[in-house]
């Protein structure tokens, strides 16, 4: 028999998710983004390698600001997923399980994912 009363209604806007939880959710979101974008990016790569005219068409298309923004978003998803995946592998190996260390590594993942995506995005364009 349960002694504690369970809440009937949870206000999701009042629940404060800890930073490791945010990293976990973003890891899942970035995985979905990569899963959805992978066939599109592979089709674009295959098309760009087919002929010089197609490459020029794709290059002109990729010069659009909105397309660049989307591609930088995909680059963020890749970098965040990679860095957070390494963090989760270390956690699976029982490294960094202490609360303060877990919070610190979560902050590092968030910052380094954004910074590396911006640096690579600027370098590519």
């Amino acid at each position: 028999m349960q002694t504690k009363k369970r809440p009937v209604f949870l206000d999701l806007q009042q629940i404060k998710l800890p930073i490791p939880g945010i990293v976990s959710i973003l890891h899942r979101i970035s995985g979905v983004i990569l899963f959805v974008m992978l066939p599109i990016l592979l089709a674009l790569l295959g098309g760009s390698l087919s002929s010089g005219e197609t490459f020029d068409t794709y290059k002109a298309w990729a010069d659009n600001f909105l397309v660049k923004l989307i591609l930088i978003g995909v680059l963020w998803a890749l970098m965040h997923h990679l860095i957070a995946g390494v963090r989760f592998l270390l956690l699976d190996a029982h490294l960094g399980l202490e609360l303060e260390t877990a919070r610190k590594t979560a902050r590092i993942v968030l910052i380094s994912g954004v910074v590396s995506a911006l640096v690579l995005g600027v370098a590519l364009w």
Side-chain angles (χ1 to χ4, degrees), residues 74-125:
V74 172
L75 192 58
W76 166 82
L78 176 66
M79 296 311 298
H80 177 82
H81 200 75
L82 175 73
I83 297 166
V86 170
R87 176 181 178 265
F88 289 129
L89 283 174
L90 293 173
L91 289 174
D92 287 344
H94 301 285
L95 298 172
L97 291 177
E98 300 78 28
L99 183 61
E100 191 55 40
T101 307
R103 287 180 178 161
K104 189 182 294 187
T105 58
R107 280 188 211 98
I108 290 170
V109 166
L110 287 176
I111 293 168
S112 59
V114 171
V115 169
S116 61
L118 288 176
V119 167
L120 288 172
V122 168
L124 289 175
W125 288 286

Side-chain angles (χ1 to χ4, degrees), residues 13-120:
Q13 294 177 344
Q14 290 184 355
I15 296 174
K16 183 165 170 45
L17 192 63
I19 193 161
I22 294 170
V23 168
S24 178
I25 290 172
L26 287 176
H27 183 71
R28 293 166 193 242
I29 291 171
S30 64
V32 169
I33 291 170
L34 292 173
F35 180 77
V36 169
M37 290 301 293
L38 186 63
I40 297 167
L41 293 173
L42 287 175
L44 290 172
L45 176 65
S48 69
L49 296 175
S50 64
S51 70
E53 297 82 29
T54 310
F55 176 79
D56 291 336
T57 303
Y58 286 171
K59 189 172 185 296
W61 180 74
D63 283 336
N64 183 340
F65 176 75
L66 184 61
V67 173
K68 283 185 180 183
L69 201 60
I70 291 170
L71 291 175
I72 288 177
V74 172
L75 192 58
W76 166 82
L78 176 66
M79 296 311 298
H80 177 82
H81 200 75
L82 175 73
I83 297 166
V86 170
R87 176 181 178 265
F88 289 129
L89 283 174
L90 293 173
L91 289 174
D92 287 344
H94 301 285
L95 298 172
L97 291 177
E98 300 78 28
L99 183 61
E100 191 55 40
T101 307
R103 287 180 178 161
K104 189 182 294 187
T105 58
R107 280 188 211 98
I108 290 170
V109 166
L110 287 176
I111 293 168
S112 59
V114 171
V115 169
S116 61
L118 288 176
V119 167
L120 288 172

